[in-house]
Amino acid sequence: MELEVRHLRVLCAIADAGSLHKAARALGMSQPSLTTQLRRIENALGAQLFSRERTGCRPTPLGLDVLSRARPLVAQLALLVSETRAAASRVDGARLRIGSTASRALAGWLRRLRKRLPGTDISLHMDVSAGALLRALAAGQLDVAFVHEVEGCPLRVPDGLERRVLVDREPQFISLARDHPAAAAPVVDVADLAEDRWMVDPSVDGEWDGLRRVLGAAGIDPPVLHADYHTAASLIVAGEAVAPCQPTSGPRDDMAIRPLRDDPLAVRLLLYHRPGGCSLHDAVYAELAAAYREAALRTAAYRHWLLRHDSPLLRAG
């Protein structure tokens, strides 16, 4: 059997769902059919990609590697299809091509922009790499790029781009299993996680360097797992790993989100664009700021953090 993109979608669905039963339901197929499909994929690759357990399916180390490569391919194909369809149906008019790294503010931002800019064809391109988005912006493939810059790891910004700072220092919280001993406290010390396996996505610009700097400053050298954050969620819930996360991350019944004491991990949130189009860029920035504030205040842990630090976000809007 020759591997196809549809097979990669199957692998991603199983990893996201955490079980064959849930993945089959999401894919609209029977569990026996999905089990057969997975077996064929593993036979084609000559390796086991998931370990079948009583509580579900967990990616093997090799499976994690395959998933980290499969997800960008699936995302790029989806983008190709959506943008081609949009181009085919587009009538002449205004357009706004947005690039962004992951953010809980995105949905609200897009909703606000569609309301403020009626008739504008608005598209979204997601990428874990801020550098890739900035290069696409400089090449004229995007109109704006909303990215984060890990503290201590400056981005390589192509010449000619202009920048606006949304948040000068956003603290990164930690996600851990609900029954983790450290989750009992409202704030977690990095040293309390010295024996845990830390998960980091090396494809995110500056992420590994920033985390390594913080762990070194705390005098600890815990085991580190390199994987994408989508795959990591099941490991965190199972108590197999902890991972940095955005403070706007919403509460989950099976996962705890806590601030780190003294906020050693942080990022800066930035909006880049090419010169010109001041009125449009002002509108784009204003709606992003409003959407981010909504997302920040919606999350209790981050809202309490903002109150303790008397953040300007509390006085905006």
Side-chain angles (χ1 to χ4, degrees), residues 61-141:
L62 186 57
L64 290 173
D65 183 55
V66 171
L67 285 164
S68 68
R69 299 174 184 221
R71 291 188 188 280
L73 294 175
V74 172
Q76 285 296 323
L77 181 62
L79 179 66
L80 171 64
V81 171
S82 64
E83 290 192 346
T84 301
R85 287 174 176 169
S89 62
R90 183 182 298 135
V91 296
D92 292 338
R95 68 175 182 176
L96 177 62
R97 297 166 300 172
I98 296 173
S100 179
T101 51
S103 172
R104 298 311 194 283
L106 276 180
W109 188 24
L110 291 173
R111 183 185 70 250
R112 286 173 166 274
L113 285 173
R114 296 190 194 285
K115 183 177 181 180
R116 181 160 181 169
L117 304 171
T120 299
D121 177 44
I122 300 174
S123 61
L124 174 65
H125 173 64
M126 300 285 298
D127 200 305
V128 297
S129 170
L133 291 171
L134 295 179
R135 290 191 294 273
L137 176 62
Q141 298 166 358

Side-chain angles (χ1 to χ4, degrees), residues 16-17 22 104 175-179 229-238 249-258 299:
D16 291 341
K22 292 179 181 178
R104 298 311 194 283
S175 55
L176 58 168
R178 176 65 67 179
D179 59 356
Y229 287 123
H230 291 287
T231 304
S234 60
L235 298 179
I236 294 170
V237 168
S249 299
R252 289 179 45 157
D253 293 337
D254 55 359
M255 186 185 296
I257 308 293
R258 298 288 184 269
T299 309

Side-chain angles (χ1 to χ4, degrees), residues 48-299:
Q48 183 179 356
L49 303 181
F50 290 89
S51 59
R52 283 71 155 179
E53 302 174 355
R54 184 175 57 82
T55 55
C57 277
R58 180 181 300 178
T60 63
L62 186 57
L64 290 173
D65 183 55
V66 171
L67 285 164
S68 68
R69 299 174 184 221
R71 291 188 188 280
L73 294 175
V74 172
Q76 285 296 323
L77 181 62
L79 179 66
L80 171 64
V81 171
S82 64
E83 290 192 346
T84 301
R85 287 174 176 169
S89 62
R90 183 182 298 135
V91 296
D92 292 338
R95 68 175 182 176
L96 177 62
R97 297 166 300 172
I98 296 173
S100 179
T101 51
S103 172
R104 298 311 194 283
L106 276 180
W109 188 24
L110 291 173
R111 183 185 70 250
R112 286 173 166 274
L113 285 173
R114 296 190 194 285
K115 183 177 181 180
R116 181 160 181 169
L117 304 171
T120 299
D121 177 44
I122 300 174
S123 61
L124 174 65
H125 173 64
M126 300 285 298
D127 200 305
V128 297
S129 170
L133 291 171
L134 295 179
R135 290 191 294 273
L137 176 62
Q141 298 166 358
L142 297 171
D143 298 307
V144 296
F146 176 41
V147 300
H148 69 271
E149 179 182 69
V150 177
E151 192 169 65
C153 305
L155 293 171
R156 294 182 179 180
V157 182
D159 293 336
L161 298 185
E162 297 182 355
R163 182 191 76 190
R164 297 186 71 168
V165 178
L166 178 69
V167 177
D168 192 57
R169 193 174 194 271
E170 180 194 69
Q172 298 301 280
F173 288 3
I174 194 76
S175 55
L176 58 168
R178 176 65 67 179
D179 59 356
H180 191 293
V187 178
V188 175
D189 284 291
V190 172
D192 292 338
L193 308 174
E195 302 302 319
D196 287 279
R197 182 186 291 111
W198 286 67
M199 204 291 303
V200 65
D201 187 343
S203 60
V204 179
D205 299 298
E207 199 91 335
W208 170 224
D209 290 335
L211 179 59
R212 182 168 50 187
R213 174 180 58 82
V214 168
L215 296 177
I220 63 175
D221 185 23
V224 175
L225 172 66
H226 295 274
D228 67 277
Y229 287 123
H230 291 287
T231 304
S234 60
L235 298 179
I236 294 170
V237 168
E240 294 292 333
V242 299
C245 66
Q246 298 174 16
T248 50
S249 299
R252 289 179 45 157
D253 293 337
D254 55 359
M255 186 185 296
I257 308 293
R258 298 288 184 269
L260 289 168
R261 192 173 305 282
D262 299 326
D263 309 310
L265 280 170
V267 302
R268 186 161 54 156
L269 303 182
L270 306 166
L271 183 68
Y272 280 91
H273 59 84
R274 294 186 303 280
C278 291
S279 60
L280 174 61
H281 295 146
D282 286 345
V284 169
Y285 178 85
E287 298 304 341
L288 174 58
Y292 180 84
R293 181 174 183 271
E294 281 182 352
L297 298 182
R298 191 164 52 235
T299 309

